[in-house]
Amino acid sequence: MVTELSITVKPEEENSEKAVKNYILKSLAARNIRASFDEITPVFIKKSIDARHGQIKIVMRFEVYIGEKPKTAEELLPKWKHADGKNVVAIIGSGPAGLYAAFRLLEDGIKPVIIERGSDASMRKNDIAQISRKGILNPNSNFCYGEGGAGTFSDGKLYTRSNKRGDISKIYRIFVEFGAPEQILTDAHPHIGTDKLPGIVSAMRKKIIELGGEVYFDTACTELVCHKADNELTVSGVKTKNVITGEERTFESDAVILATGHSAADVYSMIAELSPDSLEAKTFAVGVRVEHPRELIDNIQFHGKKMPQAAEYRLTAQVEERGVYSFCMCPGGFVVPCATSPDQIVVNGMSASGRNSRWSNSAIVVERRPEDIPQEFVERAEKDGCRALAGLYWRTWLEKLTQEKGEGQKAPAQRLTDFLAGKKSEGLPETSYTPGVVSSRLDEWLPEEISARLKKGFREFDLSMKGFVCDDAVLIASETRTSTPVRILRNKETFECAGIKNLYPAGEGSGYSGGIGSSAMDGEKIAGVISRKLSGIS
C-alpha cells in the first residue's frame, strides 16, 4: 500500500528518523491505517517552512510505502539508447529545453545535434569573469548565452508551478543523476546553485555525446533552411557560423527544435522575415533589482529567530490595473550583469548552493502588456513588417537607456528610500553587484508608468514586510529579461511553429515557459512529439 501525507515537525525534529516516523504513524492511525515502525518506508516529497505567528515549523510531505519498498533511483531513470543516426534532430540552444529535448530523443535512439552560440561552461566562466573585472562583455558568451543557458550562471532555481507541462520529478531525477544534490527532490523550492550547475550541465553534455549525439559550441544559427511547397514553408536544416573562426556550415535534419532562450532577439527577426504571422506580442514585465542585507530579510521573515538557511519572500500587489511583484528572489545571493550587448545594462540575480552571501535580492517588476508599448515602437515594428516585435524594440530601448545612465557595465542605482522620496542618493550602500554601481535618479528616467507603480508597490510591500523599505535597501536597474515580449505561435496539435512546418519552438524563447523546470519539461514534451512523428506513431 502507498499513501501520501503531510506532517508538521519542529526544526530540531526534521532530521530525526524516529521522530518523523512516529509522526507518520500517528497520521496513519488518524486515517485508520495500522502499521508498525518497521513496516513503513517514507519517501520524502517536499518540505516547506511555516514561519507564521512567530513560530517556526517544518511541513514535510511524504509518500509512505506500507509493507513494500519504493523503486530505486536507477529504476526511476529513463532508459537512453545510443543514437542510430537514422533520424537527426537539430536543437538550437543548450539550455534546459535543449538538453532535456536531447535526452528525450535519446530514449528512442534519435540523434540530437545541439548548436549553441555560446561557449562551453569552462570557457564561459572566463567570459563572465571579464564582465565583472574589466567591464568587457562577449556578446555570444555571457550570463545569457552558453552551455546550460541563462540559468547556469544566474541562479539555478528549479521551482515551477507548471506541473501540468510534464513530469517535474523526472526532470529533477535526471539533474541528480548528473550531480545535483538529492535535496532538490524534496525541497518545496528546489535550487541547485550557480557553483554546481556548470559541472552538472557539462556532465549532461558528455553523456549526450557518449550516446551518439553531437554538440557544437561558439556556433550561431544564421538561417533556417526552408523550402516552400503547396504554399507551406517547411524547414529541413539550419545554416550556422562559428563566431570565433567564421566557418560556415549547413546541418540537415528531420526537424529543428528552437530552444534559444528569452534573449535571442535575432531569432525573432529571423522568424519575422520568414513568417511574421507566426509571432505574437505577449505580456512581460520590467523593473529593478532590490537588494537588502541578508540579515535584515532573515530577521523580518523569521521574526528574529536564527535559521540555518536564508529567508525567502514572495510579494505581489495590484497597482493601477497592472501587477507589481517580486520575481526570482535570491536569498543569500548576488546581483549579476546579464546584458547580451556592450551597449546594454541588464541585471539579474543568482545564488550559490549555500545561499550564504551577505545580501538577499529580488527583481521587483511591473506587468507590461502589448497595449502599453509606446506608439513609436509599434510604428517601427509595423514598418519592419511584424507588429509583434514592438515590445522587443521597447525592451531594447530601455536596456540601452539604462547603459547611458550607468558607466560601462556599472549599473545605475538608488537607495529605496531616496527612490520613494524623489531625490538622488549621495552615497550608496555596498552591493554584491561586482561591476559596480553609480548613483542615479531612477525615479526620473525610468518610464513614468513603471516608476510610479513601483513606488506604490514598494509601499504596499512594506505593510506586509515591515522594514522592507529602509536606507540599506538599494535599487539596481534595469531588470528586463524576466520573460520574452514575444511568443512564437505553435500549432496546438502538432506543436510546430504555426507558419513553418518541422520547426518546433520550445522553452522560454518560445514564450511557452519560464525558468529551468518548465523549460526542461517543455523541451521534453516537444521532443516526445517529434519522436512519435518520426516513429509513425500518431
Side-chain angles (χ1 to χ4, degrees):
M1 178 181 177
V2 184
T3 187
E4 279 193 20
L5 54 80
S6 294
I7 61 172
T8 301
V9 303
K10 298 174 183 177
E12 61 268 24
E13 296 173 317
E14 177 187 357
N15 296 315
S16 168
E17 180 186 6
K18 182 178 180 180
V20 167
K21 275 196 168 185
N22 283 330
Y23 277 115
I24 289 172
L25 288 171
K26 288 180 183 178
S27 183
L28 290 173
R31 300 183 185 184
N32 293 318
I33 300 173
R34 303 298 172 187
S36 68
F37 189 92
D38 293 330
E39 282 181 314
I40 63 172
T41 304
V43 175
F44 209 178
I45 296 176
K46 68 177 181 179
K47 74 171 181 178
S48 57
I49 297 174
D50 183 353
R52 293 173 297 176
H53 313 301
Q55 291 186 327
I56 307 296
K57 298 177 182 178
I58 308 294
V59 181
M60 306 173 75
R61 188 158 187 81
F62 291 90
E63 191 172 54
V64 183
Y65 289 75
I66 305 168
E68 58 182 285
K69 296 296 180 183
K71 289 183 177 180
T72 65
E74 186 176 349
E75 289 173 325
L76 290 169
L77 274 176
K79 307 301 180 187
W80 297 306
K81 302 175 183 176
H82 195 279
D84 57 20
K86 179 182 176 182
N87 294 115
V88 177
V89 175
I91 301 172
I92 314 303
S94 70
L99 288 172
Y100 277 82
F103 277 114
R104 176 61 185 86
L105 293 171
L106 287 166
E107 289 183 38
D108 295 306
I110 297 171
K111 181 176 182 176
V113 176
I114 298 178
I115 298 163
E116 168 60 55
R117 76 195 302 163
S119 300
D120 63 47
S122 178
M123 289 300 299
R124 193 177 170 197
K125 281 183 182 179
N126 296 332
D127 293 327
I128 285 171
Q130 291 299 306
I131 305 174
S132 295
R133 292 172 186 167
K134 300 180 180 179
I136 299 173
L137 188 142
N138 181 335
N140 291 303
S141 181
N142 43 59
F143 273 96
C144 289
Y145 299 150
E147 183 170 23
T152 303
F153 290 96
S154 52
D155 202 57
K157 280 189 286 291
L158 302 180
Y159 178 64
T160 176
R161 296 182 182 87
S162 304
N163 293 327
K164 292 182 180 179
R165 294 181 185 273
D167 182 3
I168 190 63
S169 61
K170 178 182 178 183
I171 302 301
Y172 295 166
R173 285 194 296 271
I174 291 174
F175 269 127
V176 170
E177 172 69 9
F178 291 101
E182 288 194 2
Q183 69 193 52
I184 69 169
L185 300 173
T186 57
D187 283 353
H189 295 99
H191 169 260
I192 295 177
T194 54
D195 51 335
K196 295 184 177 180
L197 262 171
I200 292 167
V201 297
S202 295
M204 294 172 82
R205 176 243 304 170
K206 290 172 184 176
K207 186 65 174 180
I208 290 168
I209 294 172
E210 178 189 318
L211 292 168
E214 297 178 8
V215 182
Y216 296 88
F217 292 114
D218 305 307
T219 302
C221 172
T222 57
E223 185 180 339
L224 296 172
V225 179
C226 296
H227 65 273
K228 196 168 188 177
D230 299 325
N231 210 33
E232 283 187 327
L233 272 178
T234 301
V235 68
S236 58
V238 296
K239 291 185 178 181
T240 68
K241 183 176 182 178
N242 186 291
V243 299
I244 297 175
T245 67
E247 178 188 0
E248 296 181 348
R249 183 170 176 180
T250 298
F251 292 87
E252 295 181 354
S253 62
D254 296 291
V256 175
I257 297 177
L258 204 58
T260 47
H262 57 39
S263 292
D266 55 335
V267 172
Y268 299 121
S269 297
M270 187 188 305
I271 300 295
E273 288 183 14
L274 291 169
S275 178
D277 291 339
S278 294
L279 297 180
E280 175 185 69
K282 62 179 278 292
T283 296
F284 59 113
V286 299
V288 295
R289 275 271 150 187
V290 59
E291 183 171 73
H292 293 81
R294 172 189 161 186
E295 185 177 11
L296 186 149
I297 295 298
D298 289 354
N299 282 335
I300 293 173
Q301 294 298 82
F302 295 142
H303 310 285
K305 298 181 184 295
K306 292 290 183 181
M307 292 292 287
Q309 66 266 50
E312 299 181 50
Y313 62 79
R314 182 169 177 263
L315 298 166
T316 61
Q318 197 70 17
V319 180
E320 297 172 8
E321 300 182 329
R322 294 293 182 270
V324 180
Y325 54 92
S326 61
F327 177 84
C328 185
M329 195 268 151
C330 300
F334 303 87
V335 181
V336 295
C338 285
T340 49
S341 175
D343 61 354
Q344 307 164 345
I345 286 181
V346 178
V347 294
N348 199 350
M350 57 152 275
S351 298
S353 57
R355 289 181 161 179
N356 54 6
S357 87
R358 294 186 287 122
W359 300 274
S360 289
N361 71 79
S362 178
I364 303 295
V365 292
V366 178
E367 179 186 9
R368 194 77 167 146
R369 298 178 186 175
E371 60 266 32
D372 300 333
I373 304 302
Q375 188 61 26
E376 63 179 289
F377 298 98
V378 174
E379 290 175 359
R380 179 183 158 196
E382 288 176 340
K383 184 179 178 181
D384 289 343
C386 184
R387 183 184 177 123
L389 296 177
L392 185 64
Y393 290 171
W394 179 85
R395 184 183 79 175
T396 302
W397 165 81
L398 180 57
E399 292 167 353
K400 290 182 177 182
L401 175 63
T402 306
Q403 203 270 345
E404 292 173 10
K405 301 297 180 179
E407 184 181 317
Q409 284 299 305
K410 290 183 179 180
Q414 188 176 17
R415 289 183 188 267
L416 175 52
T417 49
D418 290 338
F419 177 75
L420 295 177
K423 65 178 185 179
K424 184 177 180 179
S425 297
E426 296 304 326
L428 293 169
E430 184 183 1
T431 80
S432 66
Y433 184 76
T434 51
V437 293
V438 294
S439 182
S440 175
R441 287 283 304 273
L442 309 188
D443 60 296
E444 284 189 333
W445 60 263
L446 281 173
E448 172 66 18
E449 63 273 23
I450 303 297
S451 62
R453 288 185 172 97
L454 284 174
K455 289 178 181 180
K456 292 181 180 179
F458 280 122
R459 291 188 175 104
E460 279 199 39
F461 299 157
D462 194 54
L463 296 176
S464 58
M465 282 184 69
K466 201 63 182 172
F468 189 86
V469 173
C470 63
D471 283 342
D472 289 331
V474 62
L475 306 184
I476 305 175
S478 291
E479 174 91 23
T480 57
R481 306 281 178 95
T482 60
S483 66
T484 171
V486 187
R487 176 176 286 115
I488 305 175
L489 295 173
R490 298 196 299 213
N491 183 295
K492 292 181 180 179
E493 294 181 1
T494 68
F495 292 95
E496 294 166 295
C497 173
I500 308 172
K501 294 180 71 66
N502 270 0
L503 180 66
Y504 294 84
E508 279 202 35
S510 68
Y512 288 91
S513 70
I516 292 174
S518 60
S519 293
M521 286 191 291
D522 197 51
E524 259 221 342
K525 177 176 70 176
I526 294 301
V529 170
I530 294 171
S531 182
R532 289 189 291 273
K533 178 182 176 181
L534 294 177
S535 302
I537 301 172
S538 58

